[in-house]
Amino acid sequence: MSSLLSITIIMLIWTVSDFVSKKTKSLVSSLLVASLIFLVGFKSELLPPTILQDSSLLALGTTILGFIIIHIGTMIRLAEFKRHWRTVVIGVSATLGIVGALVLGAPLLGSLNYSIAAAAGVTGGTISVILAQDAALKFGLTSVAVLPVLITAFQGIIGFPLTSLILKREAQRIKREDDYHAIIETSDDNTKTILPESLQTTAGTLFIVGCVMLVATALSQLTNGVINEFVIALVLGVLLCELGILKRNILEGIDAYGLMMLSIMIIIFGPLGTISVHDLMDLALPLVLSFVIGVSGGSLAALFVGKLLGYSASISIAIGLTSLFGFPGTMILSQEAARSVGANDLEIEKIQAEIMPKMIIAGFSTVTITSVLVVGLLVSFIH
């Protein structure tokens, strides 16, 4: 399929998804609608499996994902990490709850190998899945290697609607609070930066952010990949913003931001084109059990720890569910929840300011950090 036709169809799918989300007041997530359209399209062969690659958006999204991560870093102050330390604790607890439940549920899944593979899929993203795949394929365990891929493909379909409903409840709770109008603090000037005006244009901004991402990649390589480049990129985004080198929300307002966001969303749908009907049939039961056991274990752990730390039940469970999708879902679902409940721009902004930092920080603490560390230890038990 030509690049022009591919990108046009993809934009149509995303337009329909946005339309459905707005019409249902975010009850049905745009990410869920798009996931289902792509899945049905791939399986019915109405969409070629290479449509994402043909559009060039998949390659663009993979390339500039780090740019968006740095942008997220410039959205969060160092004080935010300290203020949201409870979020990190809840996120880590949820990940451990998922892994613990799946390991204990090994007899139901068929073997410890399947449990470890399921843990990699349910708790993490690409890196965790690759770790589990490599370990399984060394012993010729093809089905074990396929399971986390299937789980990853369906993570959004399970996680997006659940989290969307729960975050909407949290947004309603925030709106009912007596001190609702005191939730958001006065923010710093978004334009504060020591960079010259020539580097604050669209091209200049992308050049600077690209340099920061190159530094993050180089630092990650120095650790032999032990510290993920996106984790370093996030930290650099925060630090450089605090030092006044990068302005807050650095990509906001530049000409390329909208296309960049769309292109990284395409990454989410990539695995859907690789799922065969045969794989789905053979691994249907382990796939379902992985989600039931994993999500239950993670949600209970998040709920218990969240209650101890003073968080509401809804935001605690939502934090735990970030294991199923991470960024950009954490940002998009936060925005949708705020829009569905807020009566005006001010209310939407304040609800979003309360929910989004927790969700974004939770996503990095679960998918990007904790999952990689835990799965990295577990895969040594695959045999």
Side-chain angles (χ1 to χ4, degrees):
M1 182 177 289
S2 71
S3 297
L4 178 59
L5 180 57
S6 298
I7 197 170
T8 301
I9 292 173
I10 290 171
M11 293 305 169
L12 172 62
I13 292 172
W14 198 252
T15 300
V16 171
S17 302
D18 275 338
F19 175 79
V20 173
S21 178
K22 290 177 181 177
K23 282 296 183 180
T24 61
K25 295 183 178 180
S26 300
L27 180 63
V28 178
S29 167
S30 56
L31 292 174
L32 171 63
V33 177
S35 294
L36 290 175
I37 292 174
F38 277 113
L39 182 62
V40 173
F42 288 140
K43 296 309 107 186
S44 64
E45 297 185 354
L46 291 174
L47 295 177
T50 60
I51 186 172
L52 302 181
Q53 291 89 339
D54 292 341
S55 71
S56 298
L57 287 175
L58 189 60
L60 175 62
T62 303
T63 301
I64 55 86
L65 178 58
F67 286 46
I68 304 297
I69 300 298
I70 293 169
H71 171 70
I72 292 298
T74 64
M75 293 172 63
I76 303 172
R77 306 172 192 170
L78 287 176
E80 289 290 290
F81 286 99
K82 182 178 180 180
R83 187 162 75 91
H84 292 290
W85 66 268
R86 293 179 295 175
T87 297
V88 176
V89 173
I90 295 170
V92 171
S93 300
T95 302
L96 295 177
I98 292 171
V99 173
L102 287 170
V103 170
L104 291 175
L108 294 175
L109 290 169
S111 71
L112 180 61
N113 290 333
Y114 277 126
S115 293
I116 296 173
V122 176
T123 67
T126 304
I127 297 175
S128 298
V129 170
I130 290 174
L131 288 173
Q133 279 185 316
D134 287 345
L137 292 175
K138 286 179 181 178
F139 295 95
L141 303 172
T142 305
S143 61
V144 174
V146 168
L147 180 59
V149 179
L150 297 180
I151 292 173
T152 301
F154 280 94
Q155 277 180 321
I157 295 176
I158 302 297
F160 296 147
L162 279 176
T163 309
S164 181
L165 288 171
I166 292 169
L167 281 181
K168 186 175 180 180
R169 290 185 58 185
E170 176 65 9
Q172 292 169 336
R173 183 195 68 79
I174 293 172
K175 188 174 180 178
R176 289 194 301 267
E177 297 248 331
D178 292 337
D179 61 346
Y180 169 71
H181 292 290
I183 288 176
I184 190 171
E185 299 175 358
T186 302
S187 60
D188 292 340
D189 183 1
N190 285 348
T191 62
K192 180 182 177 183
T193 175
I194 64 173
L195 295 176
E197 290 187 7
S198 60
L199 291 177
Q200 296 183 46
T201 62
T202 294
T205 297
L206 293 177
F207 166 70
I208 292 298
V209 176
C211 288
V212 175
M213 192 59 216
L214 288 172
V215 171
T217 302
L219 292 175
S220 177
Q221 290 173 348
L222 288 176
T223 68
N224 292 321
V226 173
I227 303 178
N228 184 266
E229 60 185 355
F230 294 135
V231 177
I232 298 175
L234 177 69
V235 174
L236 288 177
V238 175
L239 293 178
L240 293 175
C241 185
E242 290 290 327
L243 293 172
I245 297 174
L246 301 182
K247 67 179 182 180
R248 295 203 181 279
N249 301 302
I250 189 169
L251 296 181
E252 196 73 51
I254 70 169
D255 296 337
Y257 184 57
L259 180 60
M260 292 172 73
M261 285 302 302
L262 284 172
S263 66
I264 66 167
M265 291 173 193
I266 295 302
I267 298 174
I268 297 172
F269 311 118
L272 298 179
T274 64
I275 301 175
S276 70
V277 176
H278 183 266
D279 289 335
L280 288 175
M281 292 177 64
D282 287 349
L283 293 172
L285 183 58
L287 184 65
V288 172
L289 288 176
S290 295
F291 280 116
V292 172
I293 296 172
V295 172
S296 297
S299 298
L300 289 174
L303 184 62
F304 175 74
V305 176
K307 184 175 181 179
L308 292 178
L309 296 178
Y311 271 25
S312 68
S314 52
I315 194 62
S316 296
I317 295 174
I319 288 171
L321 289 173
T322 59
S323 294
L324 295 176
F325 46 88
F327 180 83
T330 49
M331 181 175 68
I332 297 168
L333 293 178
S334 298
Q335 293 171 334
E336 289 184 347
R339 287 196 299 264
S340 70
V341 173
N344 51 55
D345 289 343
L346 181 61
E347 287 190 353
I348 291 172
E349 180 185 354
K350 291 181 176 181
I351 293 171
Q352 185 173 296
E354 179 68 17
I355 293 176
M356 188 182 292
K358 293 185 177 73
M359 291 297 289
I360 290 175
I361 291 172
F364 280 102
S365 66
T366 55
V367 177
T368 307
I369 302 173
T370 311
S371 174
V372 174
L373 293 174
V374 173
V375 172
L377 295 172
L378 282 177
V379 293
S380 61
F381 292 96
I382 291 180
H383 59 281

